[in-house]
Amino acid sequence: MTAINIALDGPAAAGKSTIAKQVASKLGMIYVDTGAMYRAITYYYLKNKSQFSDFKNLISNIQINLKYDENKGQRVILNNEDVTDYLRENDVTEHVSYVASQEEVRSFLVKLQKELAEAKGIVMDGRDIGTTVLPNAEVKVYMIASVDERAKRRLKDNQLRGIESNLEQLKEDISKRDEYDMNRKISPLKKADDAVEIDTTGLSIDEVTQRIINLT
Ligand code: C5P
């Protein structure tokens, strides 16, 4: 296993997870999808919010573990339940940026993510990995792509997963989520000063993967 960490940040649907998975597999590293962790808390919040007075209270009732399945990849286990299959549902996507803007949620997950990366060999993707979670990562990449291209990719992705969506709505959702993520108070989405920016518009998965591998 490569004894470095790779931080991969960027806006919604920029292709981070596809690329991160491929980079990790080629370099014998472990891929950690931090968006899935925020989505898992959002899933729990939507199901149980009436029981909790605030996010501090809610977080104190949550335990999150990541498991790796040879075929299915990263699985998110929330209070002993594998919730991975629910994390891409529209309701979760609609509320995740709000939940992810909460201080208690961020400090809980950032701590967990730092611990996961302690032993190195991690490719971690998200919004604040290069700036906050792994500021000392050996390789930092900030991936961007046009909203048009990102919406088209997400549409394809959703079709494969059997999730109903349409292009115009996706463009709107993606732009709204970026706006929220870039303007929140705590660790907003932004390029770390020392990150390498890659515009993936028009590039193939293999080309982007190779560019990142060349940085290691
Ligand atoms: O990457 P993904 O689209 O699954 O992320 C879902 C949401 O989780 C983002 O829109 C953002 O609000 C939040 N997130 C975050 N910090 C991360 C990863 C995701 O705030 N490191």
Side-chain angles (χ1 to χ4, degrees):
M1 184 179 287
T2 316
I4 60 167
N5 285 325
I6 301 179
L8 198 53
D9 290 298
K16 298 185 296 295
S17 64
T18 308
I19 301 295
K21 254 182 234 162
Q22 189 155 310
V23 169
S25 139
K26 293 216 166 179
L27 295 178
M29 298 171 78
I30 292 172
Y31 165 51
V32 176
D33 171 1
T34 63
M37 300 164 93
Y38 287 95
R39 286 171 182 271
I41 294 185
T42 307
Y43 171 75
Y44 184 84
Y45 163 78
L46 291 171
K47 266 182 92 173
N48 303 292
K49 61 182 168 193
S50 60
Q51 290 175 38
F52 301 108
S53 51
D54 53 27
F55 275 96
K56 190 173 174 211
N57 196 218
L58 182 128
I59 288 296
S60 67
N61 280 277
I62 286 183
Q63 229 199 341
I64 287 189
N65 290 296
L66 299 184
K67 262 201 192 160
Y68 289 89
D69 180 290
E70 220 173 279
N71 301 312
K72 293 176 169 176
Q74 174 184 293
R75 309 296 294 173
V76 185
I77 314 298
L78 185 133
N79 297 347
N80 296 321
E81 185 197 353
D82 184 338
V83 296
T84 319
D85 291 339
Y86 310 118
L87 303 182
R88 297 272 150 195
E89 285 175 359
N90 290 331
D91 205 21
V92 172
T93 302
E94 231 171 80
H95 292 87
V96 64
S97 287
Y98 165 69
V99 173
S101 71
Q102 304 299 317
E103 190 173 1
E104 294 79 6
V105 173
R106 299 210 74 80
S107 52
F108 172 70
L109 286 184
V110 167
K111 181 168 178 279
L112 200 59
Q113 291 155 5
K114 280 179 188 279
E115 285 165 10
L116 286 169
E118 253 166 28
K120 304 260 181 189
I122 300 292
V123 181
M124 191 175 277
D125 83 345
R127 304 294 188 286
D128 61 340
I129 311 305
T131 54
T132 307
V133 181
L134 305 177
N136 298 320
E138 286 76 4
V139 174
K140 293 185 189 180
V141 174
Y142 191 78
M143 275 176 55
I144 56 165
S146 68
V147 172
D148 224 49
E149 173 133 347
R150 289 190 277 140
K152 282 183 191 149
R153 288 180 190 159
R154 189 44 60 89
L155 186 69
K156 240 193 205 169
D157 220 40
N158 282 354
Q159 278 164 350
L160 287 176
R161 293 174 199 261
I163 297 171
E164 218 176 292
S165 50
N166 75 69
L167 194 63
E168 286 315 308
Q169 186 63 48
L170 280 173
K171 276 192 211 169
E172 204 183 308
D173 292 349
I174 285 172
S175 306
K176 223 164 87 184
R177 201 140 58 90
D178 288 350
E179 174 84 12
Y180 204 106
D181 291 343
M182 285 171 172
N183 291 298
R184 68 173 174 232
K185 270 204 202 113
I186 314 159
S187 37
L189 165 66
K190 79 175 181 86
K191 177 184 166 299
D193 292 338
D194 51 351
V196 175
E197 183 169 296
I198 302 180
D199 185 344
T200 69
T201 312
L203 293 181
S204 70
I205 294 170
D206 285 345
E207 283 169 327
V208 181
T209 303
Q210 197 50 51
R211 282 202 196 182
I212 296 176
I213 290 175
N214 290 345
L215 298 172
T216 63

